[in-house]
């Protein structure tokens, strides 16, 4: 049975991006066949409960200690003190969930974007993006692409257009070293131009289709025919 290729999230898309479609294809195929076997979703839930329900840190910590898989448990336990250090200082006037949405790369590819939450402090709206990857965090042009698109999506939302967008990066400087928390104001990240964004997304779309065809066993001639058809009306849809 052929592996089904899922469309990656916006953050994953930016992380996967490479300068050519063939390299993107290789990463996507590898992820589809040997991808991660766990999710950081429980940590997003913990942050939400800390802010909304004022769940005590020890209660959340005990829940993490009960995770059966040792590698996942140790991974989460290395993040928990950093979560507590930051969010225990936050006293929000309100916390709102943010409606998930889709970003159109092309006619056939819709990238999901699901922010965890936003909250208000001292009359300001804070929009944090939590990145729990330990290694290979977003940086350089990939980070610029991500921030550019997120800003574009935020400006379309009247509840978020004045929000302070910041990235909370929980990575480690060395894969074998301890994690740290790096707070990156989105305002400090250079944006990519509209032309460059269009070019980067077209490359990713081509790589995604190559990976999809590879996993589905589509022949080169069939793939070329499909690509020609898609490219015919791709540009106006960015």
């Amino acid at each position: 049975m052929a592996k089904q290729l899922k469309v990656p999230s916006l953050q994953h898309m930016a992380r996967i991006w490479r300068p050519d479609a063939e390299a993107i294809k290789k990463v996507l195929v590898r992820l589809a066949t040997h991808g991660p076997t766990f999710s950081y979703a429980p940590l997003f839930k913990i942050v939400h409960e800390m802010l909304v329900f004022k769940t005590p840190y020890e209660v959340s910590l005990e829940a993490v200690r009960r995770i059966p898989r040792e590698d996942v448990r140790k991974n989460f336990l290395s993040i928990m003190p950093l979560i507590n250090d930051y969010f225990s200082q936050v006293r929000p006037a309100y916390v709102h969930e943010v409606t998930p949405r889709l970003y159109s790369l092309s006619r056939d590819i819709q990238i999901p974007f699901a922010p965890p939450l936003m909250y208000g402090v001292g009359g300001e709206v804070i929009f944090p993006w939590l990145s729990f990857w330990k290694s290979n965090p977003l940086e350089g042009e990939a980070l610029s692409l991500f921030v550019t698109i997120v800003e574009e999506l935020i400006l379309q939302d009247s509840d978020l257009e004045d929000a302070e967008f910041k990235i909370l990066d929980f990575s480690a400087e060395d894969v074998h070293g301890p994690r740290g928390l790096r707070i990156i104001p989105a305002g400090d990240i250079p944006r990519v131009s509209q032309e460059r964004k269009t070019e980067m997304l077209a490359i990713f779309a081509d790589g995604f289709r190559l990976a999809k065809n590879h996993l589905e066993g589509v022949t080169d001639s069939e793939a070329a025919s499909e690509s020609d058809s898609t490219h015919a009306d791709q540009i106006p849809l960015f």
Side-chain angles (χ1 to χ4, degrees):
M1 182 178 178
K3 290 279 187 179
Q4 184 174 6
L5 183 63
K6 294 182 179 179
V7 178
S9 70
L10 182 59
Q11 185 181 16
H12 280 84
M13 182 277 291
R15 191 190 199 192
I16 291 166
W17 191 85
R18 301 290 189 275
D20 68 88
E22 189 64 33
I24 292 171
K25 168 198 165 184
K26 290 179 180 178
V27 176
L28 287 169
V29 169
R30 184 170 67 249
L31 287 173
T33 54
H34 301 91
T37 57
F38 74 95
S39 167
Y40 284 112
L43 293 182
F44 290 106
K45 182 178 179 182
I46 283 172
V47 171
H48 185 270
E49 290 180 348
M50 287 177 68
L51 292 176
V52 176
F53 303 112
K54 308 298 187 290
T55 302
Y57 176 62
E58 285 299 327
V59 173
S60 300
L61 195 61
E62 183 57 32
V64 173
R65 289 182 179 131
R66 292 198 298 268
I67 294 175
R69 272 185 56 179
E70 182 180 11
D71 59 336
V72 177
R73 183 172 65 251
K74 287 182 176 180
N75 188 12
F76 285 11
L77 286 173
S78 71
I79 302 172
M80 286 297 293
L82 299 171
I83 288 177
N84 184 58
D85 288 348
Y86 184 82
F87 286 103
S88 64
Q89 307 301 316
V90 176
R91 299 287 187 271
Y94 60 84
V95 180
H96 291 162
E97 295 184 355
V98 181
T99 304
R101 59 207 71 192
L102 295 171
Y103 184 81
S104 295
L105 249 67
S106 62
R107 180 181 61 183
D108 57 327
I109 304 173
Q110 306 290 310
I111 298 288
F113 177 61
L117 48 81
M118 68 174 186
Y119 56 84
V121 174
E124 295 185 339
V125 180
I126 308 299
F127 176 65
W129 185 266
L130 283 62
S131 179
F132 292 122
W133 295 326
K134 183 174 184 180
S135 60
N136 300 319
L138 286 178
E139 58 184 7
E141 196 173 32
L143 178 58
S144 291
L145 175 65
F146 174 70
V147 170
T148 299
I149 295 176
V150 172
E151 185 178 66
E152 183 178 323
L153 289 165
I154 287 176
L155 291 176
Q156 296 172 2
D157 192 322
S158 58
D159 293 328
L160 288 170
E161 59 184 356
D162 296 322
E164 181 185 353
F165 172 31
K166 59 179 69 176
I167 298 170
L168 277 59
D169 176 5
F170 293 85
S171 63
E173 291 187 7
D174 182 274
V175 67
H176 301 296
R179 291 174 178 267
L181 174 56
R182 186 167 56 120
I183 302 169
I184 309 170
D188 294 347
I189 307 301
R191 280 27 173 195
V192 296
S193 67
Q194 180 66 31
E195 293 75 17
R196 180 56 177 160
K197 184 191 73 172
T198 298
E199 179 185 18
M200 293 176 75
L201 296 182
I203 293 171
F204 183 85
D206 286 343
F208 182 86
R209 295 186 194 102
L210 288 173
K212 184 173 183 289
N213 291 332
H214 175 85
L215 292 167
E216 293 177 353
V218 177
T219 66
D220 290 343
S221 59
E222 291 171 332
S225 176
E226 178 182 347
S227 177
D228 290 344
S229 174
T230 304
H231 275 293
D233 33 30
Q234 180 175 351
I235 297 301
L237 294 167
F238 282 113

